[in-house]
Amino acid sequence: MKIESRSGVAAARRSMSRATVVTTSLTAALFTIVIPAEAVGPRPIFQVPFECGQVWEASTYDGHKPNTNSLDFLKVGGGSNGQPILASAAGTVDYAGWDNGGGWMVNLRHSDGWGTSYLHMIETPAVTAGQAVALGQQLGRVGSTGDSGTPHLHYQQWADAPGNTVRAEFNGVPVNVRVGQPEVLTSQNCGRRGGSLSGDSRADLVSVQNGGLFGYANNGYHSNGTVRWGARVQIGGGWDGVPEAAVKFADLNGDGLTDLVSKQDGGLFGYANNGYNSNGTVRWGPRVQIGGGWEGVPDTAMKYGDLNGDGRTDLMSVQNGGLFGYANNGYNSNGTVRWGPRVQIGGGWEGVPDAALYLGDLNGDGRVDLMSKQDGGLFGYANNGYNSNGTVQWGPRVQIGGGWEGVPDAALYLGDLNGDGRADLMSKQDGGLFGYANDGYNSNGTVRWGSRVQIGGGWEGVPDAALNLV
């Protein structure tokens, strides 16, 4: 196994002098007590900051700044220089620019006080301060600028400030890197996980009531399965007369922020999510027509999900027992979408209500799977791949749940409540919201659902179709 030399990295990093902007924190950390990770909220599900499937070696050394929890990454097999550097989680750019020690670099701030740093980029970063970024979005490319002896990425996960760098975790697992003990890691940074208004990878809750849109931020997931919902915040209005089921949410441009889509008078209209404010409101873009010709198609027959794993939400319709896909081939600067042609991707659904079909990423591979509710049972069809002609390689029908007799089809929802990349299940019953964590996907296509946990209440009288996990 070929690894580019770590000695050049260590030697150069030992000579690192000072860093303007970020390294105020880096240097200060040498003289202060490091704040423990427990001082902030739950850590996001960070991913290795490189393209999906790439293999990199992480190492550290005595004298690594601000401490030995910092990681230096070298690509296994060589060729580190110029490789894309990806965001480990959704967040906001705190700093992007030049630093005397770190060279071209980026600091990201994530949810609950967490942050990440990416140093020694080959050129000016691809992002700017204040910009919202999605999990997996490119920040720049690996280089050797600043105090660096060889092309590599210096990477940190920190609590509150870069000087408080803590032991890194990827995909929820702590690294085993120690001085003299590197670790080889395979990137699972395979696209944005989950979906949310803020881009933080945990699904938020949105209700459509009395013509208004109301958001409840998902501020964290407890070990007992409950959710820390934020306060009710009005995020839109003027929807009087529009059926609840005609208001949907989808990441049309792949930026990690969930956009709004409405179906009205046979047309589809998009409202770009241009940013999430600290008070929980959303900066919606103007109304733009993104499709037409949907007269006579029920609102519940329109489904949105990323069928091919490219980070942009595709469209699926249920018509006359068939499933039809329209690939999202790109998002134009004027807010329109380049939809691909209509392609049949399934059939045999005659007699199954439109509302009994759901799209969600059950196994965390970045592509949405199909779930149906029939005769009280839940059945999964794995999305095993997307063909160049737009068809989907669906797996066989596998029962993944039961006992749902009497629960309306529209009262079941799929969304990633805990940010682990797998869609969890939520039900609405007797005014309460109940969560079932997706604790894992088995090789036979079944799902390890967690126990039923109440995660909300007070929804009596609100139509099932008025709630969305986004």
Side-chain angles (χ1 to χ4, degrees):
M1 178 175 68
K2 178 183 176 183
I3 302 285
E4 293 165 302
S5 172
R6 293 191 300 273
S7 59
V9 177
R13 297 290 287 155
R14 289 187 191 101
S15 68
M16 194 175 189
S17 56
R18 72 172 188 88
T20 62
V21 187
V22 271
T23 56
T24 303
S25 299
L26 291 176
T27 306
L30 299 177
F31 305 101
T32 59
I33 298 173
V34 174
I35 299 172
E38 290 76 15
V40 294
R43 188 189 309 227
I45 306 296
F46 289 121
Q47 299 298 324
V48 173
F50 302 107
E51 291 182 338
C52 182
Q54 286 191 351
V55 182
W56 290 72
E57 185 189 75
S59 63
T60 191
Y61 56 88
D62 285 328
H64 213 172
K65 295 183 179 180
N67 57 48
T68 55
N69 288 318
S70 298
L71 299 177
D72 284 335
F73 278 102
L74 292 168
K75 190 171 185 291
V76 173
S80 298
N81 200 44
Q83 289 292 329
I85 299 169
L86 310 184
S88 282
T92 302
V93 180
D94 189 56
Y95 177 75
W98 178 260
D99 175 272
N100 288 344
W104 292 113
M105 59 156 296
V106 169
N107 270 358
L108 295 184
R109 285 199 176 271
H110 308 284
S111 58
D112 295 314
W114 287 91
T116 50
S117 296
Y118 312 78
L119 280 64
H120 306 309
M121 294 180 179
I122 196 172
E123 60 202 355
T124 306
V127 294
T128 57
Q131 179 179 339
V133 298
L135 166 68
Q137 184 169 336
Q138 186 170 345
L139 306 176
R141 296 191 299 142
V142 174
S144 190
T145 57
D147 286 341
S148 170
T150 192
H152 73 288
L153 174 67
H154 172 102
Y155 173 87
Q156 298 164 231
Q157 289 180 17
W158 40 269
D160 291 323
N164 301 318
T165 293
V166 299
R167 185 182 179 192
E169 292 184 5
F170 294 112
N171 214 31
V173 179
V175 298
N176 290 317
V177 177
R178 301 288 188 272
V179 174
Q181 179 184 305
E183 182 177 9
V184 173
L185 300 168
T186 300
S187 175
Q188 297 183 50
N189 202 335
C190 303
R192 185 173 64 90
R193 295 175 176 262
S196 75
L197 292 173
S198 62
D200 66 357
S201 82
R202 295 187 299 266
D204 304 303
L205 178 64
V206 175
S207 67
V208 187
Q209 294 172 267
N210 302 318
L213 300 181
F214 299 88
Y216 302 77
N218 180 341
N219 291 324
Y221 190 81
H222 297 121
S223 58
N224 63 358
T226 56
V227 177
R228 296 201 311 274
W229 297 115
R232 183 182 194 249
V233 176
Q234 184 158 1
I235 60 172
W239 294 96
D240 319 75
V242 179
E244 292 93 348
V247 179
K248 300 294 183 185
F249 297 86
D251 186 3
L252 295 173
N253 58 7
D255 67 355
L257 299 170
T258 307
D259 308 300
L260 173 63
V261 180
S262 69
K263 177 178 171 287
Q264 295 171 267
D265 301 322
L268 297 182
F269 299 88
Y271 303 76
N273 179 344
N274 290 325
Y276 188 79
N277 301 311
S278 58
N279 63 357
T281 56
V282 178
R283 300 193 295 275
W284 298 114
R287 183 181 192 248
V288 177
Q289 184 157 3
I290 60 172
W294 294 98
E295 297 85 356
V297 179
D299 300 330
T300 54
M302 311 291 286
K303 315 288 181 180
Y304 296 90
D306 187 0
L307 292 168
N308 58 8
D310 67 357
R312 297 186 298 265
T313 301
D314 307 299
L315 171 63
M316 184 181 84
S317 67
V318 188
Q319 295 172 268
N320 303 318
L323 303 181
F324 299 89
Y326 302 77
N328 180 343
N329 291 325
Y331 189 81
N332 301 311
S333 58
N334 63 357
T336 56
V337 177
R338 299 194 298 275
W339 298 112
R342 183 182 192 248
V343 176
Q344 184 157 2
I345 61 174
W349 294 99
E350 296 84 358
V352 178
D354 301 331
L357 295 180
Y358 316 82
L359 292 177
D361 187 1
L362 294 171
N363 58 6
D365 66 357
R367 299 185 299 265
V368 290
D369 307 297
L370 177 64
M371 185 180 83
S372 68
K373 177 176 170 285
Q374 296 169 267
D375 301 321
L378 300 181
F379 299 89
Y381 302 77
N383 180 344
N384 291 324
Y386 190 81
N387 300 312
S388 58
N389 63 358
T391 56
V392 177
Q393 295 151 32
W394 298 115
R397 182 183 193 247
V398 176
Q399 183 157 4
I400 60 173
W404 293 98
E405 296 85 356
V407 178
D409 300 330
L412 293 184
Y413 316 82
L414 289 175
D416 187 2
L417 291 170
N418 59 6
D420 67 357
R422 298 186 297 265
D424 307 298
L425 177 64
M426 184 181 82
S427 69
K428 176 176 171 285
Q429 296 170 265
D430 301 321
L433 301 182
F434 299 89
Y436 302 77
N438 180 342
D439 291 328
Y441 190 81
N442 300 310
S443 58
N444 62 358
T446 56
V447 177
R448 299 193 297 277
W449 298 113
S451 57
R452 183 182 192 248
V453 177
Q454 184 157 1
I455 60 173
W459 294 97
E460 296 86 355
V462 178
D464 299 330
L467 295 185
N468 299 267
L469 284 180
V470 301

